[in-house]
Every structure is written in C-alpha cells, then in structure tokens.
Amino acid sequence: MKVICIVGPTGVGKTKLSIELAKIYNGEIINADSTQVYKGLDIATAKIKEEEKEGIKHYLFDIKNIDEDYSAYDYQNDARKKIDYIFKNKKTPILVGGTGLYIKACLYDYKFSLESKKNDYSKYSKEELYQKLLSIDPKTNIHINNRKRVERALDYYSNNGIIKQEQKTDKLLYDVIFIGLTTDRENLYNRIDKRVDSMINEGLIDEAKRIFDLNIRTKAVLTPIGYKELFEYFNGNITLEDSINLIKQRSRRYAKRQYTWFNNQMHVNWFNTNYNNFDETVKEIKKFIGGIL
C-alpha cells in the first residue's frame, strides 16, 4: 500500500488535485499545512471549504484553537495515526500541503528532541537574538531572518546544554509517491496576487479584524501570511493598500522558499499545472501513478 503526497508552493492547485486523486484511488486526505490545523483561520490559510470536499473524508483540519500550541512533533504523531487508520480501512492516504517540515516529520524517520521549556524572546530584536545564538554556536547555518529557527536553537541549548545537531534523514517509513505541482514563476506570482484579491473579496479583512480584537498573538495567529500584515493596518501603521501588497509580496517569497525546500529535501515528481484544462494534468499524473502501481 502506498501513500500519495501532494506538494508544491502556495496557490498552485494542490487542494483541487487532492480531491481528484482521492476520487480515483479511493483516498482520504490528511492536511499537511501547519496553519490549517487551527479553527477559525480559514480565508488567509486557503482552507478547503466543506462544499469542495465532495464527500471525501479530511483529517487534521480544525483540530486546535488558536491559543493552543501544536508542533511538528505533535503533527508527526497525529498524521502517522491517521495513515495507519486509513490503511486499516483499505483506503489510500493522501497527504496534501505546503509545510515541508510536517511532511518530512511524518513520512521519514525523523527524530525530535523534545524541549521541556520554551523561553519568551519577545523583548529581543532579531539582531539581539542572533547575537545570542552566535555566542553559543559561531558556525550556525541558521539565517538571521529565520527567527523561529533561532528561537528553537536557543531553547534547545537552554534545555540540553549542547548545540543541536540537525538530523537529516532520507529514510522513508512508508512507500510514498511524491507528486509536485508547479508552473512558471510569472504565472504563479500572478495567481498568488489574484488569490489574495479573492481572499479580500471573501472577507479576509473581517476575519483578521475578528482575530485582532481577540488580542491573541500566538504562533497560530502570527505564522500565516495575511493576519499580521492586516494587524499593521488595524494599528494604523500602514495603509490598507500597503497591507494587501505586503501579503502578496510575502506570499510570493514564501512560494519561492517552498520550492527550494522541497527540491532539497524530497525526491518530488514535478508536473506542470494546466490551468486551462486541469483534467489534462490529472490524466498525466494518473498515468504516472499507474506506471508505479
């Protein structure tokens, strides 16, 4: 039995493909997007709507409140349980999402060192945090702008007294078919811009204002692109137009980072998306999977 894993940058068409493949291969879908596990974060995270599911079972969506913690380690445990459950029911697990670490943690022999204590670094600037990291690990390969990784490295040192050694693994725990959707960069960026415009029309500003008024500033709220940018507008720091442009810009940059991550971490079989006739893309991928099965 095989797991189908659909990856690719934001806005490329992964959700639509997952539904089509689920219909063909008697599949059930497991979310692999770190932002879609949270209830109430719908528009900015491009969460699948109920009517779009077409009766297909979806797992690990809306399982946490925005004031709760949820880590890649938690996801690893939950997603593996869902894969086993789907296999037990003689169906095909289909992982779909753009959070590379979640996918890697689930499908590969990826080991986590549990951190017993998380420190509060909110009073530190990124430059101050980075200097703290350099003081304990002068050869770190973590970039100064990757604040989350800097904080995790500092927490690990605080809890264990040693520098964390990144453990890379290419050992898969399942028989996986990796499918990646792609398109040329100009087309992708145009699609991302239009997608953001659609989110605004669907009510993203109201969704963000509701969360803003709750005064909850957890990782769940500040990780997705869309909320923190609009928070700047609500605080009167930037105009609405600038906020929307910032969402588009950061989404495009995120898509570029996703490509880099998947290409470096996984053996992905990439397919160009035919947006004029998506059925042709589905047929091409079905033919490819059929050759493996």
Side-chain angles (χ1 to χ4, degrees), residues 37-290:
V37 301
Y38 293 102
K39 300 172 186 175
L41 307 187
D42 301 324
I43 299 174
T45 68
K47 190 181 296 174
I48 188 170
K49 300 178 179 68
E50 197 61 38
E51 62 270 19
E52 295 171 334
K53 294 179 181 178
E54 298 192 34
I56 294 162
K57 286 189 177 180
H58 285 64
Y59 300 97
L60 303 188
F61 292 85
D62 297 327
I63 61 171
K64 289 289 176 181
N65 296 316
I66 59 174
D67 58 352
E68 294 181 283
D69 287 329
Y70 192 77
S71 67
Y73 176 76
D74 297 320
Y75 178 81
Q76 181 186 70
N77 291 324
D78 291 343
R80 288 178 180 177
K81 287 176 184 175
K82 295 304 179 187
I83 288 174
D84 293 342
Y85 175 77
I86 294 169
F87 275 148
K88 184 179 179 181
N89 289 323
K90 310 296 182 185
K91 295 194 174 184
T92 302
I94 301 176
L95 258 72
V96 57
T99 304
L101 179 59
Y102 274 29
I103 295 168
K104 187 92 174 182
C106 170
L107 300 177
Y108 289 79
D109 187 20
Y110 196 99
K111 300 286 196 304
F112 285 94
S113 299
L114 293 182
E115 297 159 0
S116 57
K117 179 183 177 185
K118 294 184 182 297
N119 297 301
D120 181 10
Y121 300 104
S122 58
K123 64 180 180 180
Y124 293 99
S125 68
K126 68 178 182 181
E127 290 79 14
E128 291 170 331
L129 267 186
Y130 198 66
Q131 286 304 314
K132 285 174 70 72
L133 177 59
L134 288 176
S135 70
I136 62 174
D137 185 9
K139 297 181 179 179
T140 183
N141 62 359
I142 301 174
H143 194 277
I144 187 173
N145 290 331
N146 196 333
R147 187 181 180 100
K148 285 193 291 185
R149 284 194 65 198
V150 172
E151 290 184 2
R152 285 201 299 265
L154 291 171
D155 280 337
Y156 187 88
Y157 182 80
S158 175
N159 284 299
N160 300 281
I162 60 174
I163 299 168
K164 184 175 183 179
Q165 300 296 317
E166 292 294 330
Q167 184 181 43
K168 294 186 177 181
T169 176
D170 290 322
K171 180 184 177 183
L172 279 163
L173 299 181
Y174 304 92
D175 194 354
V176 185
I177 302 173
F178 287 102
I179 302 295
L181 283 184
T182 186
T183 186
D184 67 84
R185 186 158 295 180
E186 182 180 358
N187 188 38
L188 178 64
Y189 288 176
N190 286 334
R191 285 182 58 81
I192 288 172
D193 288 351
K194 290 178 181 178
R195 188 191 207 191
V196 172
D197 291 335
S198 295
M199 288 177 174
I200 297 298
N201 292 333
E202 288 173 20
L204 175 58
I205 296 172
D206 290 338
E207 179 177 276
K209 187 62 165 62
R210 174 180 54 79
I211 297 167
F212 176 82
D213 290 341
L214 292 173
N215 201 31
I216 296 174
R217 302 295 183 265
T218 56
K219 181 180 74 171
V221 172
L222 297 179
T223 296
I225 299 169
Y227 300 122
K228 55 187 176 292
E229 292 80 9
L230 284 167
F231 288 0
E232 288 294 298
Y233 162 63
F234 299 145
N235 281 321
N237 297 329
I238 59 177
T239 67
L240 178 58
E241 182 181 4
D242 287 342
S243 174
I244 294 170
N245 286 334
L246 195 56
I247 294 171
K248 292 177 179 178
Q249 180 188 77
R250 288 178 175 171
S251 296
R252 294 192 296 265
R253 288 177 178 172
Y254 178 55
K256 186 177 179 180
R257 292 198 303 273
Q258 285 175 301
Y259 271 127
T260 301
W261 203 97
F262 287 122
N263 282 323
N264 289 338
Q265 296 285 336
M266 299 172 185
H267 299 293
V268 179
N269 305 286
W270 293 101
F271 295 86
N272 281 304
T273 310
N274 185 335
Y275 295 107
N276 294 321
N277 188 349
F278 195 75
D279 287 343
E280 288 301 314
T281 302
V282 175
K283 286 179 184 177
E284 185 182 2
I285 293 170
K286 179 182 177 184
K287 182 179 179 180
F288 172 78
I289 294 175

